[in-house]
Amino acid sequence: MRVLGIETSCDETAVAVICEQQGLLAHHLYSQTAMHDEYGGVVPELASRDHIRKLGPLIRRVMHAAQLSLNDDIDAVAYTAGPGLMGALMVGSGVGRSLAWALDKPAVAVHHMEAHLLAPLLEDTAPGYPYVALLVSGGHTLLVEVKAVAHYTLLGESIDDAVGEAFDKVAQMLGLGYPGGPRIQELARQGSPDRFVFPRPMADRPGLDFSFSGLKTHALNTLRGLASVDHQARADVARAFEDAAVDTLRIKSMRAVERTGVQTLVVAGGVGANQKLRRQLTRELAKLDVTVIFPSPEYCTDNAAMVAQLGLLRLQSGAREPLQIRVQPRWSLEDI
Ligand code: KG4
Ligand code: ZN
């Protein structure tokens, strides 16, 4: 069976084809980050319009790369139905569901975060179950225990801003543009670790939930309190913010693996590209004999390979989508 996967939940248009026997055959994406840069974040209407422009050509490009024909070689279509931006999701779901109908093949609507959770299975060295996944992106901050496909326990999540969103907003305050994460990481290298020390939100509470909105406000108040905001001051604020955000993610991740007793932590989502987070988690979790796995960047951030893979798994277990075009912008992992 060969499955075409479509992802348009936020600011990446992505398409992939996966084969039951041969694995991933081709995948490509088009990122809109440059388009959203001048606004300091994703503009939903612009995102939707660009998905409309890019999705058709991208499907043709992926089919060409895999040397396959839509009519003859595709057995099913999988697409992200949520969570995400309403308009953006409607493009992928509308095209995906309609294409499956036109080809007279089954369709399957998948959950974007579930696709992220299972993305490490795309790697040659896939983790064994159970594992804890730390999912850190522009829209989500979750700790989830993955016991098997479709067996997830939500351990903790952000009660306000996602950590990537906090990186992006602080970057905007510092005049760095979008996406903020990599730019804060760069600037923080020149910052002092001692000039400002930001709080580690909720670290002193026993649970596994996160909160990043206070940290963002702390950065804003620190900047407002400065007589002059020169390059060094901005670097020092970037450093204090990055240290606090990374420390908080590490503290909660360690608590989650201790509580569940798993041997593996998987880090997924765009913030997982952060070098300091990678170093700290690897070093500190080694002390607990826990292996930390970072999927390669192409599977860590938004992509369609993970959507096609989850679609295939769902189809194998008999899932079929009715004819309606389903879009679910808010969709809890626990409601799958
Ligand atoms: O998973 P992703 O590509 O897209 C979704 O949000 O679904 O994640 C994007 C987020 C953005 O907020 C971006 O600022 C953040 O990941 N990010 C980083 C780094 N690279 C990307 N945050 C911190 N450090 C980085 N190096
Ligand atoms: Zn994502």
Side-chain angles (χ1 to χ4, degrees), residues 138-296:
H140 295 272
T141 312
L142 305 175
L143 274 165
V144 183
E145 184 178 4
V146 180
K147 293 172 191 140
V149 175
H151 289 88
Y152 315 114
T153 307
L154 182 62
L155 303 169
E157 63 186 327
S158 177
I159 58 167
D160 41 55
D161 290 3
V163 62
E165 190 182 351
F167 266 96
D168 294 335
K169 286 180 178 165
V170 172
Q172 207 178 351
M173 291 171 206
L174 295 169
L176 299 176
Y178 175 84
R183 299 175 192 196
I184 289 202
Q185 171 174 288
E186 237 3 81
L187 186 60
R189 283 188 220 282
Q190 299 156 45
S192 147
D194 308 314
R195 179 162 172 205
F196 306 114
V197 177
F198 287 10
R200 273 57 176 159
M202 297 178 77
D204 53 354
R205 295 198 213 160
L208 292 169
D209 285 338
F210 303 89
S211 163
F212 289 101
S213 132
L215 192 56
K216 180 191 67 187
T217 311
H218 198 93
L220 185 62
N221 290 339
T222 304
L223 281 167
R224 282 188 178 150
L226 292 171
S228 83
V229 184
D230 57 10
H231 178 78
Q232 191 55 49
R234 289 163 60 241
D236 294 342
V237 167
R239 173 69 189 256
F241 170 78
E242 187 189 45
D243 282 353
V246 165
D247 247 15
T248 307
L249 295 174
R250 179 192 43 85
I251 291 166
K252 299 280 173 165
S253 301
M254 291 179 77
R255 206 176 281 169
V257 299
E258 280 174 327
R259 191 167 294 179
T260 52
V262 302
Q263 297 299 304
T264 312
L265 175 76
V266 170
V267 184
V271 184
N274 186 274
Q275 296 297 326
K276 191 174 285 171
L277 180 67
R278 289 179 168 234
R279 275 198 307 275
Q280 274 207 23
L281 284 175
T282 307
R283 189 182 62 222
E284 295 305 315
L285 284 158
K287 295 178 189 164
L288 302 177
D289 273 336
V290 171
T291 310
V292 187
I293 296 181
F294 299 95
S296 48

